[in-house]
Amino acid sequence: EVVQLPWFRPDEWMENFRLLKPVLLDRTAESIHRHVQDRLREIYRASAFGLWLAAVALCRSLIEFSIHQNADRLGLETRRRTKQNTLLDLPLKVLIAEVAKALPHLTESLDTVKSAGDRVMHAKEGNVLSFPALRREALNCVKATKRVVEDLYLASSQTHAGYDRQHR
């Protein structure tokens, strides 16, 4: 029965899977927060099975979490006190601007993920991911997320002075 269902497309799944590249870090997987590992696995599964909206939403979630997790080591502020003296998380737009100051080479990748993620998470008429282009945009988002995660975790283990992405 499953084989007869319209969404059963193993050839497409294999093609999608072939387009995905592993995240490469300079440390063991065990040293990366479980939340990051779980989200990466889900992003890759969603992408392999053509669940493009889910993959994009997870990418957006993962970059936000990764920024928060690496903020102290990168010297970034991710929360501000309100007038009522409570801590408030900064919006992703502000977090991206902070990361761009510390790691300017990530700006384009961060913007790619935020833009696609916003169109999935905060869809408005005229500003949504369209299904004909959805696969391409989602795969671009996954690639950008891979780049951001690799660089945030790599950069967090090095000093920023002399950090050069080309020497990785």
Side-chain angles (χ1 to χ4, degrees), residues 1-10 13 49:
E1 287 180 41
V2 170
V3 172
Q4 300 302 317
L5 294 171
W7 52 262
F8 185 77
R9 296 183 169 161
W13 299 340
F49 289 109

Side-chain angles (χ1 to χ4, degrees), residues 23-29 31-32 150-158 163 168:
V23 173
L24 302 174
L25 299 172
D26 61 344
R27 60 183 81 191
T28 64
S31 68
I32 302 300
E150 286 176 342
D151 285 8
L152 282 178
Y153 285 91
L154 175 66
S156 70
S157 67
Q158 300 178 5
Y163 176 74
R168 290 196 348 212

Side-chain angles (χ1 to χ4, degrees), residues 94-117:
V94 175
L95 296 176
I96 287 172
E98 291 296 312
V99 172
K101 290 176 194 171
L103 302 169
H105 65 279
L106 287 181
T107 303
E108 184 178 343
S109 295
L110 289 162
D111 288 343
T112 295
V113 176
K114 183 183 181 312
S115 176

Side-chain angles (χ1 to χ4, degrees), residues 56 60 63 92-93 96 107-123 127-129 137 141 144:
V56 170
R60 188 182 189 283
I63 66 160
L92 184 56
K93 180 179 181 177
I96 287 172
T107 303
E108 184 178 343
S109 295
L110 289 162
D111 288 343
T112 295
V113 176
K114 183 183 181 312
S115 176
D118 284 352
R119 288 182 286 145
V120 168
M121 304 299 291
H122 308 292
N127 189 30
V128 295
L129 287 178
E137 278 200 74
C141 190

Side-chain angles (χ1 to χ4, degrees), residues 70-78 98 102 160:
N70 289 288
D72 288 342
R73 287 178 278 183
L74 295 171
L76 305 177
E77 184 180 346
T78 61
E98 291 296 312
H160 292 297

Side-chain angles (χ1 to χ4, degrees), residues 12-131:
E12 285 180 25
W13 299 340
M14 282 307 300
E15 176 60 28
N16 293 339
F17 188 73
R18 283 186 195 105
L19 295 173
L20 300 170
K21 304 295 180 217
V23 173
L24 302 174
L25 299 172
D26 61 344
R27 60 183 81 191
T28 64
E30 294 78 28
S31 68
I32 302 300
H33 195 285
R34 186 73 184 179
H35 179 85
V36 174
Q37 293 179 47
D38 291 344
R39 293 313 183 272
L40 281 170
R41 265 192 295 282
E42 285 299 309
I43 288 167
Y44 279 59
R45 285 179 187 146
S47 298
F49 289 109
L51 305 172
W52 306 120
L53 297 174
V56 170
L58 284 164
C59 286
R60 188 182 189 283
S61 170
L62 180 56
I63 66 160
E64 188 167 6
F65 181 84
S66 296
I67 291 169
H68 278 281
Q69 189 180 31
N70 289 288
D72 288 342
R73 287 178 278 183
L74 295 171
L76 305 177
E77 184 180 346
T78 61
R79 294 177 177 89
R80 294 220 173 101
R81 291 216 175 267
T82 65
K83 291 178 182 179
Q84 296 77 24
N85 204 30
T86 59
L87 280 177
L88 183 66
D89 285 341
L90 295 173
L92 184 56
K93 180 179 181 177
V94 175
L95 296 176
I96 287 172
E98 291 296 312
V99 172
K101 290 176 194 171
L103 302 169
H105 65 279
L106 287 181
T107 303
E108 184 178 343
S109 295
L110 289 162
D111 288 343
T112 295
V113 176
K114 183 183 181 312
S115 176
D118 284 352
R119 288 182 286 145
V120 168
M121 304 299 291
H122 308 292
K124 296 178 183 148
E125 182 127 6
N127 189 30
V128 295
L129 287 178
S130 60
F131 278 93

